[in-house]
Amino acid sequence: MNAVSVGDSVVVYGPWGCGTCHACSQGRENYCPRAARLGIMPPGLGRPGALAEYLLVDSERHVVPIGDLDPVKTVPLTDAGLTPYHAIKRSMSKLEPGSVAVVIGAGGLGHVGIQLLRLMSAATVVALDIREESRELALRSGAHHALPSDSKAVGLVRELTDGAGADVVFDFVGAQVTLDLAAQMAGLDSHINIIGIGGGSLPVSFDSLPYGTRVSTSYWGTRSELIELVELAKQGAIDVHVERYELEEGPEVYKRMEAGKIQGRAVLVPAQRS
Ligand SMILES: [Zn+2]
């Protein structure tokens, strides 16, 4: 029996692995050590992706049925939801009641990350973003505080934590300026998660960061985590802020994204065929 039938709405799991190695057998295809060697490329990252009327998927295991959920509101979960969900799960041991989590960048991924942090933990959530509209989106998404990500942010986070600094910093930007902020506001025995691919670097040595700081990168998410996210969406627990466009508007949407004018996630929708 197939898990999906013709006509079903599905979302596509993106980070394809070989499907048979130890990591893949745990659903951790995002960390498949054989994918590069076998030339496996995710859709949209080296092979044709979803900016088309049809998307070829190599295996049934790479689709997750979404039932009656609105495909436009649900499709961003495959990245904008899965990436923060995976990063947060890796830091759950630090997200205890009374802890402080800082989210740098309240854009497509960050605003979902804030919702997930509120859903999955009792941590105080502080959002940092240079854009005022994104700070407003952060507050609507459940952040307790939303601050401009400038030089004053470090002092404000220290103030909020009685000098201790953040327990977990999620950097959804990853630029030099935001990684510097992350390093300056991290507390003792904290986690710094580098998620954004902004090209910055964070020097790590014994005394370059507070003692016990764990710095890690985090790539996309696992297959089982996407299934869990779809379950959360079915429960109405996640509300992705979506701007909807026609497929033909794609080039213009990319320009708007580059100019920082997209709120949340832009979704391009192909014309419906009758
Ligand atoms: Zn594998």
Side-chain angles (χ1 to χ4, degrees), residues 170-234:
F170 298 95
D171 187 350
F172 287 100
V173 182
Q176 194 56 54
V177 60
T178 58
L179 286 177
D180 289 345
L181 284 178
Q184 289 163 37
M185 58 183 56
L188 289 158
D189 200 15
S190 63
H191 287 183
I192 297 175
N193 294 302
I194 304 171
I195 304 152
I197 49 175
S201 61
L202 181 59
V204 177
S205 62
F206 189 82
D207 53 6
S208 66
L209 293 164
Y211 295 139
T213 306
R214 190 185 85 175
V215 178
S216 92
T217 58
S218 174
Y219 177 67
W220 221 329
T222 69
R223 224 151 54 74
S224 50
E225 285 166 350
L226 182 57
I227 293 168
E228 291 163 22
L229 266 178
V230 169
E231 192 52 44
L232 284 176
K234 284 179 178 169

Side-chain angles (χ1 to χ4, degrees), residues 17-19 21 24 32:
C18 72
C21 72
C24 285
C32 173

Side-chain angles (χ1 to χ4, degrees), residues 12-83:
V12 177
Y13 175 76
W16 297 353
C18 72
T20 53
C21 72
H22 186 257
C24 285
S25 75
Q26 296 178 314
R28 296 164 49 241
E29 298 198 30
N30 51 325
Y31 297 126
C32 173
R34 301 177 70 219
R37 222 179 313 150
L38 293 171
I40 299 170
M41 286 180 284
L45 294 172
R47 74 162 66 212
L51 288 180
E53 280 135 320
Y54 294 97
L55 166 62
L56 279 174
V57 179
D58 67 340
S59 165
E60 194 184 34
R61 77 175 190 276
H62 288 149
V63 298
V64 179
I66 61 169
D68 296 332
L69 288 173
D70 174 11
V72 174
K73 294 278 276 182
T74 309
V75 72
L77 294 180
T78 56
D79 179 24
L82 183 56
T83 301

Side-chain angles (χ1 to χ4, degrees), residues 41-151:
M41 286 180 284
L45 294 172
R47 74 162 66 212
L51 288 180
E53 280 135 320
Y54 294 97
L55 166 62
L56 279 174
V57 179
D58 67 340
S59 165
E60 194 184 34
R61 77 175 190 276
H62 288 149
V63 298
V64 179
I66 61 169
D68 296 332
L69 288 173
D70 174 11
V72 174
K73 294 278 276 182
T74 309
V75 72
L77 294 180
T78 56
D79 179 24
L82 183 56
T83 301
Y85 186 61
H86 179 61
I88 292 166
K89 279 194 123 181
R90 285 159 56 92
S91 283
M92 280 310 291
S93 64
K94 289 285 158 199
L95 295 167
E96 293 159 334
S99 64
V100 172
V102 173
V103 171
I104 304 179
L109 276 69
H111 88 284
V112 183
I114 291 164
Q115 293 179 30
L116 290 169
L117 278 166
R118 292 301 315 275
L119 201 59
M120 296 160 68
S121 82
T124 298
V125 179
V126 183
L128 304 184
D129 203 295
I130 45 173
R131 297 163 298 181
E132 194 184 345
E133 318 82 70
S134 297
R135 293 199 294 276
E136 283 165 13
L137 178 60
L139 291 172
R140 288 205 304 278
S141 300
H144 296 92
H145 306 275
L147 312 168
S149 48
D150 56 21
S151 53

